[in-house]
């Protein structure tokens, strides 16, 4: 089996391990069988873990492989334990992606709002009109706070009631 390196993708590592375990060379048949048994034992142990334990294990495994960016995106390892305290800490993190929701608008400002919606979306006139008429509706998702606030200010300026979610 190839050495475990952080740069080797996990899928390739697993396929490589499976190939080595399934090949039955005359001289290495016993070693291949013990590898298979070891992998089956590890798989059984992983399947017996609780959901929280599996989550902690996956984070630890990514750290060991050197995939730190995935752990940071997932929130990192829980400190002392798991449960309500850890969930409260993750909920308190500052929101980084915002959605712009058009709640309502003045009927007299409908055309201005449609034009403004077209400026920050790739919609045509008909699609933008249909979208605005569906209010309350999310106009754009996954924006940074600065982008979302700028667009919301423009929409409010033309007579729309907007919420950032």
């Amino acid at each position: 089996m190839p050495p475990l390196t952080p740069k080797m993708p996990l899928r390739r590592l697993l396929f490589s391990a499976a190939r080595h375990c399934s090949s039955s060379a005359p001289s290495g048949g016993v070693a291949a069988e013990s590898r298979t048994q070891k992998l089956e034992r590890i798989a059984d142990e992983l399947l017996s873990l609780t959901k929280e334990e599996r989550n902690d294990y996956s984070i630890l495994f990514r750290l060991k492989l050197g995939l730190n960016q995935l752990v940071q995106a997932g929130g990192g390892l829980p400190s002392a334990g798991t449960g309500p305290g850890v969930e409260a800490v993750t909920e308190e993190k500052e929101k980084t992606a915002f959605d712009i929701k058009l709640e309502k608008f003045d009927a007299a400002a409908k055309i201005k709002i449609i034009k403004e919606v077209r400026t920050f979306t790739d919609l045509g006139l008909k699609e933008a009109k249909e979208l605005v008429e569906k209010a309350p509706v999310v106009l754009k998702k996954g924006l940074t706070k600065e982008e979302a606030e700028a667009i919301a200010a423009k929409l409010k300026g033309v007579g729309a009631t907007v919420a950032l979610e």
Side-chain angles (χ1 to χ4, degrees):
M1 190 160 101
L4 184 63
T5 62
K7 296 185 182 209
M8 179 179 273
L10 184 59
R11 176 178 279 163
R12 192 170 73 187
L13 177 69
L14 292 174
F15 286 142
S16 175
R19 260 190 281 131
H20 284 292
C21 291
S22 64
S23 65
S24 56
S27 61
V30 175
E33 183 61 33
S34 66
R35 282 189 207 145
T36 303
Q37 289 174 348
K38 182 178 178 182
L39 290 175
E40 285 181 13
R41 180 184 52 79
I42 291 170
D44 290 338
E45 288 177 13
L46 289 174
L47 289 172
S48 69
L49 296 175
T50 66
K51 185 176 181 179
E52 292 174 351
E53 291 171 331
R54 284 192 306 262
N55 184 39
D56 292 346
Y57 173 76
S58 69
I59 292 170
L60 179 63
F61 190 68
R62 287 185 218 133
L63 277 172
K64 295 259 184 191
L65 286 176
L67 304 173
N68 296 340
Q69 67 275 9
L70 294 177
V71 172
Q72 291 170 355
L77 289 170
S79 54
T82 58
V86 174
E87 291 172 5
V89 170
T90 57
E91 289 176 8
E92 292 175 4
K93 289 185 179 180
E94 190 173 330
K95 193 172 181 179
T96 57
F98 292 86
D99 300 340
I100 297 176
K101 183 177 182 180
L102 175 65
E103 293 183 340
K104 60 183 178 177
F105 58 89
D106 296 331
K110 182 176 175 181
I111 295 172
K112 292 179 184 177
I113 294 169
I114 292 170
K115 287 181 181 180
E116 194 60 44
V117 167
R118 290 189 64 205
T119 62
F120 64 87
T121 61
D122 295 330
L123 299 176
L125 182 61
K126 181 181 176 185
E127 293 86 6
K129 178 181 178 276
E130 289 172 358
L131 185 64
V132 168
E133 288 174 345
K134 289 181 187 176
V137 65
V138 175
L139 298 174
K140 190 142 180 150
K141 295 182 179 184
L143 298 170
T144 64
K145 186 174 184 176
E146 294 80 23
E147 291 173 326
E149 287 175 345
I151 293 171
K154 289 178 184 177
L155 287 170
K156 287 177 183 176
V158 295
T161 304
V162 181
L164 296 180
E165 297 180 341

